[in-house]
Amino acid sequence: MSAATTRSRTPDRLCAEAVDLARAAAEEAAAPGVLGEHEGMVSEGDRVVTHFFGCRELGYRGWRWAVTVARASRAKIVTVDEVVLLPGPDAVLAPEWVPWSERLRPGDMGPGDLLPTEADDLRLEPGYTGAEEPPSNSALTEDLADLADAEDAEVTGGTPAEQTVTPSRGTIAAVAEELGMRRARVLSRYGLHAAADRWEEAFGPKTPMAQAAPASCMSCGFLAPIGGSLGQAFGVCANEFSPADGRVVSLAYGCGGHSEAAVMPKPPQPAPPVIDETRVDPFPLRPSPDSGSVPATEDASSADLGHS
């Protein structure tokens, strides 16, 4: 350990004794009546000492007024370097600052608010590319000269070597804008997956509403289909009484407002028969004489016929 480091840890005697000077400087900088007692000091270096005073100002609990004093080499006069209000070990501090892009949550935007997207946003990708644009040095053949005049096309003069840029009218962007289909950026694959995961979590098959539903949205008449690749797994609910009305729902989602949820009541079933096992019903072993369709007779001729 060097001698300079050893001396810096030992407070200078004159600087350490300059408590009144430090208090006067702190009282001048602070509001009247908010300066507290002397709470110690710390050596900042050779002939440099910082004195700490308590702060009684409301809203600054645990903060301290720090007054740094110093003196020149071989000098006996101590001077004030700076006075600043610093937080102490138990000071009340503001939370760590978080950028607005990380603090923003769904539903925070209001009327008139603007939400800019970064140029390298992973959720977006260019809506069109210049892969199909002709090279800048491509020449217009003589066969197409008449066609260019008839179509009122823009032709750049000069030789192909002198053509530095492609005519704006022939670019993909110009054609897309003319057809009304120009979008600078569209959803990327990452943006599609992020949206699908978010919608699946809010209105998906794992929600309590879907678990108790009689059927899924795939068979519901209130489901309005959407186009694109997301239409294979999602749709828009159009049932005003459903909790997902106007929301993008998964085809596996469901609720009690299903169009086919009403089931016709089943016909009443008769009660099962009750058998009384305590009663004995007599059954004759032979039929009675008067139980037949032919009245009984004592005629011997008719008895041979076998009539009862």
Side-chain angles (χ1 to χ4, degrees):
M1 183 178 295
S2 62
T5 306
T6 305
R7 288 197 305 269
S8 64
R9 292 185 177 181
T10 303
D12 183 76
R13 181 180 62 82
L14 295 179
C15 292
E17 294 176 354
V19 178
D20 296 337
L21 176 64
R23 177 180 293 276
E27 290 178 349
E28 183 179 355
V34 300
L35 191 67
E37 300 295 332
H38 186 260
E39 296 183 356
M41 60 182 178
V42 62
S43 176
E44 304 287 356
D46 292 343
R47 298 177 299 278
V48 180
V49 174
T50 299
H51 294 271
F52 296 102
F53 298 90
C55 180
R56 299 175 182 175
E57 189 170 0
L58 297 178
Y60 287 87
R61 182 179 61 84
W63 288 64
R64 302 180 299 180
W65 283 100
V67 181
T68 303
V69 297
R71 70 179 182 89
S73 177
R74 298 182 181 181
K76 296 182 179 181
I77 300 177
V78 180
T79 59
V80 177
D81 281 359
E82 63 177 354
V83 181
V84 65
L85 184 63
L86 298 177
D90 56 344
V92 178
L93 301 177
E96 184 179 357
W97 182 81
V98 180
W100 67 267
S101 58
E102 300 180 12
R103 297 195 309 266
L104 193 64
R105 292 294 180 268
D108 290 348
M109 292 187 60
D113 295 340
L114 299 179
L115 179 60
T117 55
E118 299 180 359
D120 56 349
D121 196 323
L122 296 178
R123 300 171 300 173
L124 300 173
E125 63 183 7
Y128 57 89
T129 62
E132 300 178 0
E133 294 184 5
S136 59
N137 58 353
S138 60
L140 189 65
T141 61
E142 297 179 358
D143 298 338
L144 297 179
D146 298 336
L147 180 61
D149 294 336
E151 297 291 339
D152 192 19
E154 179 181 353
V155 181
T156 303
T159 61
E162 297 176 354
Q163 298 181 6
T164 58
V165 295
T166 305
S168 60
R169 189 168 182 177
T171 60
I172 297 180
V175 176
E177 185 175 6
E178 184 176 355
L179 296 178
M181 300 184 300
R182 180 177 184 181
R183 287 191 296 169
R185 289 186 291 180
V186 295
L187 276 175
S188 63
R189 183 63 56 183
Y190 173 80
L192 290 173
H193 283 287
D197 294 341
R198 188 170 60 253
W199 297 341
E200 190 84 12
E201 183 178 358
F203 297 98
K206 296 183 180 180
T207 58
M209 182 67 71
Q211 295 291 334
S216 64
C217 294
M218 182 180 296
S219 58
C220 182
F222 294 107
L223 181 71
I226 60 177
S229 59
L230 291 175
Q232 302 176 9
F234 297 95
V236 178
C237 178
N239 188 354
E240 60 179 325
F241 302 107
S242 172
D245 180 36
R247 305 292 186 89
V248 179
V249 297
S250 171
L251 297 182
Y253 179 74
C255 67
H258 195 279
S259 61
E260 313 302 328
V263 181
M264 297 299 296
K266 296 181 180 180
Q269 298 291 337
V274 178
I275 300 177
D276 188 1
E277 298 180 354
T278 61
R279 180 180 176 180
V280 178
D281 296 330
F283 291 95
L285 298 179
R286 296 183 178 83
S288 59
D290 56 351
S291 62
S293 59
V294 179
T297 178
E298 297 297 334
D299 190 2
S301 61
S302 60
D304 297 337
L305 297 176
H307 296 285
S308 57

